[in-house]
Amino acid sequence: MTKINTVNDLENLRNKILEDREKFRATLVICGGTGCQASRAGGVIDEIKKELDNHGLNESVCLRTTGCHGFCEQGPLIVIEPDNLFYCHVTPDDVHEIITKTILNNEIVERLLYTDPVSGNLIKTESEIPFYKAQDRQILTQNRQVDPCSIEDYIAIGGYTALGKTLFEMSPESVVQEIMDSELRGRGGGGFPTGLKWAECREAPGDEKYVICNADEGDPGAYMDRCVLEGNPHLVLEGMLIGAWAIGASQGHIYVRNEYPLAVDNIRVAVQQARESGLLGDGILGSKFSFDVEISRGGGAFVCGESTALMASLEGKVGEPKPKDVHTVIDGLWHKPTTLNNVETWANVPAIMKNGSSAFAAKGSKGSKGTKILALTGCIKNTGLVEVEMGTPIKNIVFDIGGGANNEKPVKAVQTGGPSGGCLPVEKFDLPVDFDELYDAGSMIGSGGMVVMDEETCMVDVAKYFLTFLQDESCGKCVPCRIGVSRMLEIVTDITEGRGKLEQINLLEELGDTLSHTALCGLGKTAANPVLSTLRYFREEYEIHIEEKKCPAGVCQELITYAIDPESCTFCGLCKKACPHNAITGEKKQAHEIDLGLCIKCGICRSECKFESIIIN
Amino acid sequence: MHIVYMQYMCIFIVFTLPTMHFNIHHVNIKYFNITEEAHMQNTNLDSILESRRSQPHQLIEVLQDIQEQHGYISEETMATVSEELGVPLMDVYSVASFYKSFSLKPRGKNVITICTGTACHVRGAKLIVNQANAQLDVAPGETTDDGQFTIEHVNCVGACALAPVVTENGSYHHHMDSGKLRKLIKSLESKDTEENSND
Amino acid sequence: MTQQVTLNIDGALIRAAKGTSVLDAALDFGICIPHLCHVSNIEDIGSCRLCIVENIVNGRSKITTSCTLLVQDDMMILSNTDKIRRLRHNIAELLVSEAPNSRAMQDIALRCGVEETRYSFRNNDCILCGRCVRACTGEFGVKPLGFVGRGKDRRVEAPFNLRSKLCNECGRCIDLCPMVMPACDGPMETGKERLCGNCESKLSDTDLTLGYCVGCYFGEGIQCQRSPINV
């Protein structure tokens, strides 16, 4: 590893790397993120290495394994630079053709191209794909450009130059001012002005200060931080270095969820490489600034995403939040001033220092500047990670980027902000992705999870789901959250099982209000949001469950029955064979029937039936 | 009066400080039968504890390593960790029982983890959970009697675009449904019987 | 010489030493803010949320627990507004529904204005207030009692049932436990979720040692000075 002792060393190294790469006529970029690994990208990578060897192409074709590109359902993905030809659903068997036809002969393998589900056309390059075209990928583009385990890749795209500029051309106070001017707000869900947080921490009395990167992304359905930390760990490190210098810290902590093993591995490699090149340690880039980080793994507790609980966990204790009458920027980790920021917040910092705060603030809406990475999932055609300018209307994201509903059932709602957020109906899709506007509407951006729901999603069941999650994850210390969430769950469960009473809706609202005012931490305070927002916009669904004891979406098991449609049944007998409770009877050439007394609605018959003959009443 | 009390306290501390170590050790030896398996685990434990001794804040990292290597955290191990890190045994137990990563009971040979995150839920994760419970007759977090399977839930593995997701022994399975899980469990069962019959 | 500050609680100007909690200052002065997990001279953690007050800062009201809020000069505290009373009522209602057969819970509920509960009754032996855990100091360096598990599985336990071996039998936990005193024989049945109102005593340390045993397992093996209940 080349030692980088000065800003000049950095610049020289960057030029050398770029020079060395001029010999490559093409670069094969393959996504190695967790999603594509689940789709067996590992096999494709091995095959590519073999083929490049066999054809003697190792000196002229560069193979780059990157982090997550975001278009996970199309994986394994390959992008071939410099034209950015885009191949999807690549299998190891396709590799030979890719090398011989595309690399050696410049021919396109048409069957590997992306087919636009809306127009039916084949699309050649990544930038023409509607999914990517409608985005503003300030941070995510870099995921395609770097191998997370290569500090050289990061340096080649200009990495660590922002750090150099900060250390030698600015004062710590002016760095804080720059972040304040950019109006960057926390990307982890709180939306607190980052500049203000840094200013307060800088002012706080004490010589020993800490910076923490919160990578305990616990919102179910959100994986933005995994993607950034896994795919571009040096970007986060650079952000932390700049922040630490600005507030006066010399020690940092990165707290990663244990459920993200690849992210843990990659950040460890990145830290090791940064230390070896002298970018972490003493006298960074020849300045008087010293800084190092420690990596800690979460223990599997959503509540540890809360800042005081995270700090308790770093101190080796149970993750119980503490009252925040004194802010953690003054009394934080080990009772020292601590700046805790989310992964995406740190990832935004280098660009602000490099390009200036006005460039950052030029994007976005009045109260929310810059871009936001969202995890777009659920019942739509194009699922994956997207990055959009703040202020983009939700409907653009769901329909232009997401491509609309993934089966014939129309989109019904979108859930944003995870368990602290809420559900917004289609009528509200004109609302922009904006901290304050979504908050006023009863939801929030949160960390960026956006789950699209269609008519087969029961909103009461969604409320039950989130309450079950929160009951599981509550630390249990304070009465309103521990007992209140459990009682709300009891009531909502009664409603989904046909025992609900109308006055319980008022009780839910009152209990929700009590929680929001009296719970000790953010988890408890926002625990009622999923219930309250579904009550606000989908009250009729609750009323139908209570008054008619029916579930319109066909989800709540106590209120539905399965039946076989005699018109479409082809008597194939697959369902009968698969039913684990022998609830299906029927002879050959006869429409089969389900015995409702034995049926437990496990759903196996529906997944086996190829003719969609099993319907829900 | 105060000065005499202070002197007494000093002497008290001087004499009881060395015995503090003995007290906790006392608990370790007296109340746990150290089995041979535990002896083997102790050598691994040594390497995990190296460079972390007497650092209470390393408790969670140490427990993570133990969980990874041994599959669960036994009472004897907790007692050793308590002694080596200088953390009261009660606190080790509190931490080990608070975080879901840690299992206090041995796990099955095949650990099947079903993701119950929002995206997976909306695409039918509940039916998959029901299938696992029904097919193996265990509650979530439990192990089958024959020690072959443990069913776990996790609230989001971060592969949401491929929902519903099930992980098994490190491999990710995507776009699952109850039928596919049924087949997966059956294939793992027959793989185990094959291996057993080949012994 | 500790610094003194002056703060305003419910219109009364109170002097208190710096480092005191608002709750302690109020109780010393005679303003009875309801509380459960607070015990004098033991660290406050703000877990029961009964002692909430409104802290008026720059014209805006922030609701916070008075046991964790430290006094400051010119602080403006309101402990008995309509909003606070309603919130306290709801918290007390949750508490008493968890353990309706506890005299202490009934007292708290009545004091906070609860007469009927809107939840079905559960019958827990432990209200998880944490007094025993925080008061417990076992043999040097070893803690016999602590919280185990998380969320609805949270419970108070000794590690691996070594309680009798680690405990030095000081009895503090039992002295402070609010559940040791059973309620009167008033009706506490499902379907009749209504407090009878016959228990008049106040919740205070001295009143707890009344000689009744609810058969909590903490009494096992220890010379507890209570007579067992005749079942």
Side-chain angles (χ1 to χ4, degrees):
Chain A
M1 189 74 38
T2 327
K3 262 279 196 207
I4 305 173
N5 292 324
T6 62
V7 174
N8 272 339
D9 282 351
L10 181 62
E11 185 62 24
N12 291 340
L13 180 57
R14 188 167 83 85
N15 289 330
K16 181 168 176 300
I17 296 170
L18 290 172
E19 230 180 81
D20 281 345
R21 290 182 181 185
E22 278 168 16
K23 68 179 189 224
F24 289 127
R25 62 196 236 193
T27 305
L28 263 174
V29 180
I30 178 158
C31 173
T34 302
C36 284
Q37 294 224 7
S39 302
R40 312 283 182 262
V44 178
I45 296 173
D46 288 338
E47 200 57 35
I48 293 178
K49 286 187 180 152
K50 260 196 332 206
E51 286 282 328
L52 288 179
D53 244 353
N54 288 346
H55 292 266
L57 290 169
N58 282 322
E59 292 300 306
S60 54
V61 175
C62 177
L63 170 62
R64 189 193 307 145
T65 312
T66 65
C68 181
H69 292 201
F71 207 1
C72 309
E73 229 163 6
Q74 305 298 320
L77 299 175
I78 293 186
V79 176
I80 303 182
E81 290 174 0
D83 297 322
N84 293 350
L85 185 61
F86 185 89
Y87 285 152
C88 55
H89 293 299
V90 178
T91 65
D93 294 329
D94 297 320
V95 174
H96 181 72
E97 243 184 287
I98 295 177
I99 302 292
T100 48
K101 284 212 179 123
T102 310
I103 298 288
L104 292 174
N105 281 337
N106 268 329
E107 276 169 32
I108 297 180
V109 182
E110 291 224 329
R111 71 162 189 286
L112 294 174
L113 288 179
Y114 174 75
T115 310
D116 182 6
V118 177
S119 68
N121 296 335
L122 288 177
I123 302 191
K124 285 203 287 233
T125 63
E126 187 191 88
S127 46
E128 291 171 311
I129 297 176
F131 178 79
Y132 288 111
K133 208 153 113 178
Q135 296 182 42
D136 187 359
R137 293 166 69 92
Q138 298 292 318
I139 298 178
L140 288 182
T141 310
Q142 290 185 34
N143 269 27
R144 190 185 19 90
Q145 297 167 334
V146 303
D147 175 341
C149 299
S150 159
I151 191 173
E152 271 116 23
D153 276 1
Y154 186 63
I155 291 173
I157 61 167
Y160 291 111
T161 45
L163 177 63
K165 178 176 169 192
T166 309
L167 292 178
F168 293 103
E169 293 172 36
M170 303 179 74
S171 68
E173 293 84 2
S174 52
V175 174
V176 174
Q177 189 59 47
E178 192 76 15
I179 299 293
M180 279 180 80
D181 291 341
S182 72
E183 294 181 59
L184 172 66
R185 285 171 74 167
R187 296 291 195 251
F192 189 82
T194 310
L196 203 57
K197 186 184 272 192
W198 288 20
E200 268 184 48
C201 194
R202 184 171 170 72
E203 301 298 307
D207 286 327
E208 222 181 300
K209 297 184 184 173
Y210 296 106
V211 289
I212 300 182
C213 173
N214 184 347
D216 190 57
E217 184 178 48
D219 275 4
Y223 59 109
M224 302 72 54
D225 293 346
R226 164 177 83 62
C227 183
V228 173
L229 195 61
E230 206 177 77
N232 201 353
H234 284 285
L235 179 62
V236 177
L237 271 182
E238 193 179 358
M240 287 177 77
L241 276 157
I242 294 172
W245 189 72
I247 68 155
S250 59
Q251 177 68 38
H253 289 268
I254 303 178
Y255 187 86
V256 193
R257 276 184 93 204
N258 202 24
E259 290 88 334
Y260 288 166
L262 194 54
V264 173
D265 286 341
N266 289 358
I267 187 64
R268 278 184 174 154
V269 168
V271 166
Q272 185 57 32
Q273 289 179 342
R275 283 189 187 136
E276 282 170 7
S277 22
L279 288 164
L280 280 176
D282 291 322
I284 297 174
L285 288 179
S287 72
K288 293 207 178 57
F289 177 49
S290 301
F291 180 73
D292 207 339
V293 292
E294 225 178 87
I295 299 170
S296 303
R297 290 165 290 175
F302 171 74
V303 71
C304 284
E306 198 272 345
S307 53
T308 53
L310 195 157
M311 292 179 201
S313 186
L314 280 176
E315 294 176 7
K317 304 182 186 136
V318 290
E320 280 173 13
K322 286 194 289 241
K324 283 207 277 204
D325 294 303
V326 181
H327 292 167
T328 49
V329 283
I330 299 175
D331 180 357
L333 183 63
W334 304 115
H335 293 292
K336 307 272 192 259
T338 308
T339 294
L340 181 145
N341 276 126
N342 169 267
V343 170
E344 201 183 331
T345 314
W346 289 120
N348 271 298
V349 167
I352 295 176
M353 300 317 297
K354 197 151 152 211
N355 306 328
S357 57
S358 9
F360 184 82
K363 284 183 193 288
S365 59
K366 182 156 167 287
S368 313
K369 302 289 184 199
T371 59
K372 178 82 189 81
I373 304 179
L374 302 166
L376 187 61
T377 59
C379 307
I380 43 168
K381 294 197 173 77
N382 297 322
T383 59
L385 275 189
V386 306
E387 189 176 348
V388 295
E389 193 180 328
M390 285 281 207
T392 305
I394 293 178
K395 67 172 192 276
N396 290 22
I397 301 172
V398 175
F399 297 112
D400 295 342
I401 301 179
N406 70 334
N407 53 34
E408 293 81 57
K409 313 262 186 288
V411 170
K412 178 165 145 183
V414 76
Q415 202 280 337
T416 62
S420 307
C423 298
L424 294 170
V426 181
E427 301 82 60
K428 290 279 175 191
F429 277 18
D430 283 323
L431 282 173
V433 173
D434 175 286
F435 286 110
D436 309 307
E437 295 244 14
L438 288 186
Y439 183 77
D440 289 336
S443 181
M444 57 159 85
I445 296 184
S447 60
M450 194 175 256
V451 184
V452 180
M453 299 169 173
D454 65 13
E455 302 228 320
E456 280 189 344
T457 313
C458 171
M459 302 319 282
V460 187
D461 179 69
V462 168
K464 184 165 100 168
Y465 166 78
F466 279 117
L467 286 170
T468 311
F469 173 85
L470 288 165
Q471 189 190 236
D472 219 19
E473 298 290 346
S474 164
C475 78
K477 182 161 141 184
C478 76
V479 167
C481 177
R482 183 182 74 238
I483 307 181
V485 169
S486 144
R487 290 295 187 179
M488 282 202 288
L489 178 57
E490 212 177 61
I491 296 173
V492 176
T493 305
D494 278 350
I495 296 177
T496 60
E497 293 181 359
R499 296 185 299 272
K501 302 195 197 68
L502 272 180
E503 57 265 25
Q504 286 180 315
I505 294 189
N506 295 336
L507 181 55
L508 279 176
E509 286 172 338
E510 193 175 333
L511 198 40
D513 179 68
T514 302
L515 252 70
S516 68
H517 285 117
T518 61
L520 196 151
C521 79
L523 190 157
K525 286 200 164 93
T526 55
N529 285 358
V531 179
L532 295 178
S533 70
T534 47
L535 273 173
R536 180 168 163 179
Y537 296 114
F538 299 97
R539 207 184 177 94
E540 336 75 59
E541 266 191 66
Y542 280 84
E543 285 166 353
I544 295 176
H545 278 74
I546 295 176
E547 289 174 329
E548 297 175 39
K549 306 214 196 302
K550 278 202 174 72
C551 176
V555 171
C556 300
Q557 287 183 324
E558 299 292 318
L559 305 179
I560 56 170
T561 50
Y562 277 43
I564 299 182
D565 175 17
E567 311 274 307
S568 54
C569 176
T570 61
F571 336 126
C572 67
L574 273 177
C575 58
K576 182 167 152 191
K577 239 176 55 177
C579 177
H581 299 271
N582 298 322
I584 302 184
T585 50
E587 302 301 318
K588 288 202 185 84
K589 310 262 175 82
Q590 254 187 5
H592 285 33
E593 246 180 41
I594 300 180
D595 180 346
L596 294 179
L598 293 172
C599 175
I600 59 155
K601 299 151 218 168
C602 65
I604 291 188
C605 54
R606 279 192 95 210
S607 63
E608 293 286 320
C609 177
K610 305 201 193 317
F611 306 100
E612 295 190 13
S613 304
I614 304 197
I615 50 178
I616 298 183
N617 290 328
Chain B
M1 205 48 203
H2 288 284
I3 301 173
V4 173
Y5 179 73
M6 293 278 282
Q7 281 178 338
Y8 175 76
M9 284 307 292
C10 289
I11 298 169
F12 179 75
I13 291 170
V14 164
F15 278 116
T16 53
L17 214 44
T19 63
M20 171 176 108
H21 185 81
F22 174 73
N23 257 343
I24 301 174
H25 188 67
H26 192 56
V27 169
N28 191 7
I29 295 296
K30 196 166 154 194
Y31 305 115
F32 300 113
N33 293 321
I34 310 285
T35 60
E36 213 189 282
E37 188 190 304
H39 265 301
M40 248 178 51
Q41 286 185 357
N42 275 340
T43 40
N44 276 344
L45 201 44
D46 262 333
S47 53
I48 293 175
L49 288 169
E50 201 178 295
S51 84
R52 285 162 164 168
R53 293 192 158 87
S54 303
Q55 293 179 56
H57 70 279
Q58 294 276 10
L59 176 59
I60 296 174
E61 283 292 308
V62 166
L63 290 176
Q64 299 269 26
D65 285 341
I66 295 172
Q67 174 68 37
E68 225 174 271
Q69 286 204 16
H70 300 167
Y72 80 110
I73 305 180
S74 66
E75 290 179 9
E76 293 97 324
T77 314
M78 280 197 245
T80 313
V81 169
S82 157
E83 188 183 327
E84 296 290 329
L85 288 184
V87 178
L89 184 59
M90 184 70 237
D91 289 344
V92 178
Y93 186 42
S94 284
V95 166
S97 62
F98 181 90
Y99 293 101
K100 291 279 150 80
S101 296
F102 307 134
S103 183
L104 300 181
K105 289 185 280 200
R107 283 168 148 178
K109 196 153 153 248
N110 300 297
V111 180
I112 298 181
T113 307
I114 304 172
C115 179
T116 48
T118 317
C120 293
H121 177 82
V122 151
R123 283 197 182 174
K126 186 139 174 284
L127 296 175
I128 301 175
V129 171
N130 290 349
Q131 172 55 25
N133 294 344
Q135 192 173 351
L136 295 170
D137 201 22
V138 276
E142 306 275 307
T143 306
T144 52
D145 285 334
D146 58 8
Q148 290 299 328
F149 292 99
T150 303
I151 301 290
E152 295 276 3
H153 286 179
V154 72
N155 283 325
C156 198
V157 293
C160 316
L162 303 167
V165 173
V166 171
T167 71
E168 156 265 320
N169 298 324
S171 312
Y172 287 72
H173 302 267
H174 55 99
H175 292 113
M176 292 293 278
D177 57 35
S178 28
K180 286 184 188 164
L181 180 67
R182 188 178 175 74
K183 294 188 183 115
L184 174 64
I185 293 179
K186 277 206 145 38
S187 74
L188 287 169
E189 270 171 350
S190 55
K191 194 171 75 155
D192 289 331
T193 39
E194 225 179 76
E195 282 175 4
N196 286 339
S197 62
N198 284 340
D199 281 338
Chain C
M1 219 12 213
T2 36
Q3 233 188 317
Q4 296 270 314
V5 300
T6 308
L7 67 154
N8 180 328
I9 305 184
D10 291 341
L13 285 176
I14 300 175
R15 277 176 78 75
K18 215 164 173 185
T20 319
S21 70
V22 169
L23 178 64
D24 276 333
L27 291 175
D28 275 343
F29 188 78
I31 298 179
C32 297
I33 301 180
H35 55 275
L36 170 59
C37 64
H38 165 77
V39 178
S40 320
N41 302 322
I42 294 186
E43 192 196 352
D44 286 311
I45 49 169
S47 72
C48 73
R49 317 304 286 174
L50 277 171
C51 67
I52 41 170
V53 294
E54 287 195 51
N55 181 10
I56 315 288
V57 176
N58 293 335
R60 283 167 55 177
S61 147
K62 252 187 93 173
I63 295 182
T64 181
T65 43
S66 48
C67 63
T68 53
L69 184 63
L70 297 181
V71 295
Q72 274 172 33
D73 254 325
D74 302 327
M75 218 176 205
M76 179 76 146
I77 303 285
L78 296 171
S79 78
N80 210 22
T81 58
D82 283 340
K83 188 166 170 191
I84 291 283
R85 281 212 299 271
R86 187 73 207 160
L87 292 172
R88 250 192 231 129
H89 164 280
N90 290 343
I91 296 173
E93 190 185 1
L94 287 172
L95 277 169
V96 79
S97 307
E98 292 294 299
N101 284 314
S102 148
R103 184 158 168 175
M105 292 309 114
Q106 289 192 29
D107 281 341
I108 291 174
L110 283 167
R111 198 136 58 98
C112 294
V114 178
E115 283 172 347
E116 263 173 354
T117 70
R118 296 167 286 182
Y119 310 106
S120 56
F121 282 160
R122 294 174 180 166
N123 200 9
N124 293 330
D125 289 329
C126 172
I127 198 66
L128 298 169
C129 63
R131 285 172 157 216
C132 56
V133 170
R134 278 148 50 225
C136 173
T137 45
E139 285 179 54
F140 191 59
V142 184
K143 284 159 68 172
L145 280 188
F147 277 119
V148 155
R150 176 173 99 193
K152 67 182 192 322
D153 294 328
R154 186 172 164 94
R155 55 203 187 277
V156 180
E157 258 181 36
F160 326 128
N161 301 317
L162 286 176
R163 200 277 174 106
S164 44
K165 303 193 166 84
L166 297 173
C167 165
N168 66 6
E169 306 184 5
C170 66
R172 282 280 273 163
C173 53
I174 298 185
D175 283 346
L176 292 173
C177 178
M179 305 296 282
V180 220
M181 213 167 55
C184 62
D185 293 330
M188 275 292 129
E189 293 149 22
T190 310
K192 295 186 191 166
E193 282 88 353
R194 197 176 167 78
L195 300 171
C196 67
N198 285 337
C199 298
E200 296 284 350
S201 62
K202 289 205 292 278
L203 177 66
S204 68
D205 287 351
T206 49
D207 275 4
L208 287 176
T209 51
L210 263 196
Y212 286 109
C213 170
V214 289
C216 74
Y217 74 98
F218 289 136
E220 256 179 88
I222 291 187
Q223 291 302 50
C224 172
Q225 278 135 12
R226 285 153 183 70
S227 47
I229 252 184
N230 289 324
V231 179

